Amino acid sequence: MKRRDFVRNSLAGVLLPALINGLPFRAFGRAAGEDDEHILVIIQLNGGNDGLNTVIPVDQYSRYVTARGNMAIPENRLLKIQGDDTVGLHPAMTGLQTLFNEGKVALVQSVGYPNPNFSHFRATDIWNTASDAKEIIHSGWMGRYLAGQHPGYPNDYPNDRFPDPLAIQIGSVVSNALQCPLQSMGIAITNPSGFYNLVSGSGGPVPDTRAGKELDFLRKLADSTNLYAGSIQSAASRVSKQADYPAGNALADQLKIVARLVAGGLKTRVYMVSLGGFDTHSNQVTTDVTTGTHATLLGKVSDAIRAFMDDLKLLGVSKKVLGFTYSEFGRRVKSNASLGTDHGTAAPMFVFGDMVSPQVLGKTPELPSSPTNTDNLPMQYDFRSVYASVLQRWFCMEASYLEQVMLKDFQQLTLIQGQACSNTVTANEPVQNTLLSVYPNPCEHYFTVSFSIAAASAPVLMQVFDHQGRLVDVPIQNHFASGTHTTTVNAGGYFPGVYYVRLQVNEQQEVKRLVKR
């Protein structure tokens, strides 16, 4: 039986609706005005990127030096970004600095989730599935979105309307971010060499031996079962000249392929690429702290994205593409004795493209004056807010379907210009509410929070996290009318130590450090 027939027969009669966590999952249509040419590029930084040495808090520089005495980047070497003097970029990130100053990058500060997991495998699963930390989900956030857009997939795919892959992962295994209840919604291109072999129809030389003949047979069999080989080859063949990309840069090699396929007219909506090596427990820096493993990695990321954006512009397709970076977790506040950093909580995300709303979202995370080896950066933004905002503001998904894909309701962020989608109703500039007063601080048995609502009515969420990022209390989760509000919180059940109070009102939030005696 042919593989295509096997897939069809295996899934016949069991297509959507399927179940996600025991709940029915139903197909949804495209929102009115959605642009089918909107393309998303997801860059995974494998290993847990050290956000505090990626985006350095200039406004808390003395505390940063206290925490990172053996590997703090000198203030006079930091790269400034236009319009914000509270942060500086690592000196290796000149490419992203240029894009910032061109208005093509947004920075989201301190992105994470409650109760973070410090296992590489489990943390990656959480980011890819958009699950809660203690929740096991077998479908990915992007897989659920694509399954709702294409409820019959893979039956009768490819077809005249959808001749191209829905999603492409450059790597040997398709990410579980693209998984949906019954199947993966994407295909994998093993590596850049595999792509060029596919495009040229060559797998490299085959020895004139029995083993070589068997290898040749297996290659031909694989080609015949690759349903999308023809459309990929056709798209790639339409592009003969691209911008220059940095040599010896694995991420740049992958992004060059993405640019070629986008410019060649492939209708694939999602591309996933990655760069490893960010698990920097030791030798993150050298004697010159601006160099070393982490500097090399950040330089590759920055240079690759800059070259990719230049290429998209040269090829005339830059307005079609939005991208973002993510890593499974950040690193601790305090560096270790091995010139490295250990697994931590929140870290920055970069969102890039012609249609981003250029800004720095959030404040520099508050650093302790006397950091310990267990201190972490407090979360300001839930990563699932970034995902939800991309779905609604880039893929133009109707708000009524968002919770079906994201499994919960998450805060929307103004990451993308309003004109990207005709159904985006929230203005780019949110109503400014007054956030957040916490007193007395330190506290003993009770503390009081005060905040003001500028809008007529707004949803308010207040969470309390410990220094490990664990959610210990949710004192407020309700709608409030306009005006100033004060709430007293019973802290009698909190153990003595450091906590972070996070208040979220519409698209704004603020985090305050609280000490419990």
Side-chain angles (χ1 to χ4, degrees):
M1 178 184 293
K2 293 182 179 179
R3 175 180 176 273
R4 182 173 183 175
D5 293 337
F6 173 79
V7 172
R8 284 180 172 177
N9 294 339
S10 298
L11 294 175
V14 291
L15 295 172
L16 299 179
L19 296 179
I20 296 178
N21 285 7
L23 300 174
F25 183 81
R26 61 191 179 87
F28 48 82
R30 286 177 168 79
E34 178 181 357
D35 185 346
D36 283 344
E37 292 193 338
H38 281 184
I39 293 163
L40 178 66
V41 178
I42 302 172
I43 301 176
Q44 182 177 2
L45 311 179
N46 289 315
N49 180 43
D50 177 19
L52 198 54
N53 262 28
T54 302
V55 179
I56 293 87
V58 174
D59 59 349
Q60 297 183 65
Y61 188 77
S62 62
R63 290 193 175 193
Y64 163 75
V65 172
T66 299
R68 296 286 178 99
N70 61 345
M71 50 185 288
I73 309 297
E75 188 170 10
N76 63 359
R77 299 290 302 277
L78 300 179
L79 301 178
K80 297 180 179 180
I81 59 176
Q82 190 169 294
D84 196 297
D85 58 4
T86 65
V87 298
L89 297 179
H90 189 287
M93 304 183 75
T94 54
L96 270 180
Q97 180 197 33
T98 299
L99 292 175
F100 260 113
N101 295 338
E102 292 175 354
K104 296 182 179 180
V105 181
L107 165 65
V108 190
Q109 293 268 37
S110 299
V111 185
Y113 56 93
N115 306 309
N117 191 294
F118 299 130
S119 159
H120 292 288
F121 300 105
R122 177 61 190 140
T124 299
D125 278 348
I126 291 168
W127 277 79
N128 287 346
T129 63
S131 69
D132 287 339
K134 297 181 180 180
E135 183 181 28
I136 303 297
I137 294 178
H138 300 291
S139 62
W141 73 282
M142 184 49 64
R144 295 191 294 271
Y145 167 73
L146 291 172
Q149 293 279 296
H150 302 272
Y153 185 87
N155 209 28
D156 294 325
Y157 280 74
N159 55 50
D160 291 341
R161 186 179 179 193
F162 301 108
D164 304 326
L166 305 181
I168 291 178
Q169 166 97 43
I170 300 183
S172 56
V173 179
V174 179
S175 169
N176 59 341
L178 301 174
Q179 180 67 33
C180 208
L182 299 176
Q183 69 283 318
S184 173
M185 303 300 293
I187 67 168
I189 295 175
T190 307
N191 52 43
S193 296
F195 167 77
Y196 291 111
N197 288 335
L198 173 65
V199 170
S200 66
S202 169
V206 175
D208 187 18
T209 64
R210 181 176 179 181
K213 293 176 181 178
E214 291 176 353
L215 174 61
D216 185 55
F217 170 77
L218 290 173
R219 284 178 176 172
K220 290 177 179 177
L221 181 62
D223 287 342
S224 69
T225 58
N226 187 337
L227 305 181
Y228 294 103
S231 65
I232 292 172
Q233 290 171 330
S234 179
S237 67
R238 297 187 188 107
V239 177
S240 58
K241 183 176 177 57
Q242 294 184 253
D244 293 332
Y245 282 76
N249 186 326
L251 181 60
D253 292 342
Q254 297 171 65
L255 291 175
K256 185 176 183 180
I257 292 171
V258 174
R260 182 172 176 179
L261 293 178
V262 171
L266 205 70
K267 299 299 182 183
T268 297
R269 305 296 303 281
V270 182
Y271 293 87
M272 296 193 70
V273 298
S274 64
L275 182 67
F278 287 88
D279 195 18
T280 51
H281 289 281
S282 61
N283 299 318
Q284 183 172 325
V285 301
T286 63
T287 304
D288 176 358
V289 294
T290 65
T291 64
T293 301
H294 195 232
T296 299
L297 291 167
L298 292 180
K300 287 183 176 181
V301 172
S302 177
D303 292 346
I305 294 175
R306 173 63 196 275
F308 179 60
M309 292 290 290
D310 288 346
D311 198 15
L312 293 175
K313 183 177 180 180
L314 173 70
L315 296 168
V317 292
S318 58
K319 292 190 180 301
K320 293 183 178 182
V321 179
L322 179 81
F324 68 75
T325 66
Y326 82 99
S327 195
E328 66 264 34
F329 43 66
R331 317 299 286 190
R332 299 286 172 88
V333 170
K334 188 176 176 64
S335 56
N336 61 36
S338 300
L339 296 179
T341 49
D342 299 320
H343 297 183
T345 53
M349 292 178 68
F350 296 100
V351 184
F352 58 90
D354 283 5
M355 298 301 291
V356 300
S357 182
Q359 60 190 299
V360 175
L361 276 178
K363 298 180 178 180
T364 54
E366 186 174 357
L367 302 180
S369 57
S370 301
T372 68
N373 292 330
T374 60
D375 282 323
N376 277 289
L377 296 175
M379 178 195 87
Q380 292 184 58
Y381 294 93
D382 194 305
F383 74 93
R384 292 164 292 187
S385 287
V386 177
Y387 292 177
S389 302
V390 167
L391 288 174
Q392 186 167 12
R393 295 167 182 264
W394 184 243
F395 284 143
C396 311
M397 188 176 186
E398 291 182 5
S400 57
Y401 291 116
L402 262 181
E403 192 168 343
Q404 179 178 313
V405 172
M406 296 307 304
L407 308 178
K408 290 183 180 180
D409 184 24
F410 290 101
Q411 176 188 24
Q412 282 281 313
L413 307 176
T414 55
L415 292 170
I416 301 163
Q417 297 176 29
Q419 64 266 34
C421 288
S422 61
N423 68 328
T424 299
V425 295
T426 305
N428 275 341
E429 293 297 329
V431 175
Q432 296 296 311
N433 302 293
T434 302
L435 305 175
L436 159 75
S437 297
V438 178
Y439 55 90
N441 192 3
C443 74
E444 292 187 355
H445 302 294
Y446 297 91
F447 65 91
T448 299
V449 296
S450 178
F451 58 95
S452 297
I453 302 294
S457 175
V460 177
L461 171 67
M462 191 176 84
Q463 302 163 303
V464 181
F465 298 93
D466 67 11
H467 72 291
Q468 292 288 320
R470 293 173 296 208
L471 181 64
V472 298
D473 199 3
V474 184
I476 299 175
Q477 190 170 10
N478 209 339
H479 272 75
F480 283 74
S482 62
T484 300
H485 303 272
T486 301
T487 300
T488 299
V489 180
N490 185 351
Y494 300 5
F495 292 108
V498 174
Y499 294 85
Y500 293 95
V501 181
R502 177 182 183 267
L503 190 75
Q504 173 183 307
V505 181
N506 282 327
E507 297 182 354
Q508 297 173 258
Q509 71 288 309
E510 189 167 339
V511 179
K512 294 287 189 181
R513 191 170 185 266
L514 172 70
V515 176
K516 166 69 189 305
R517 288 174 175 166

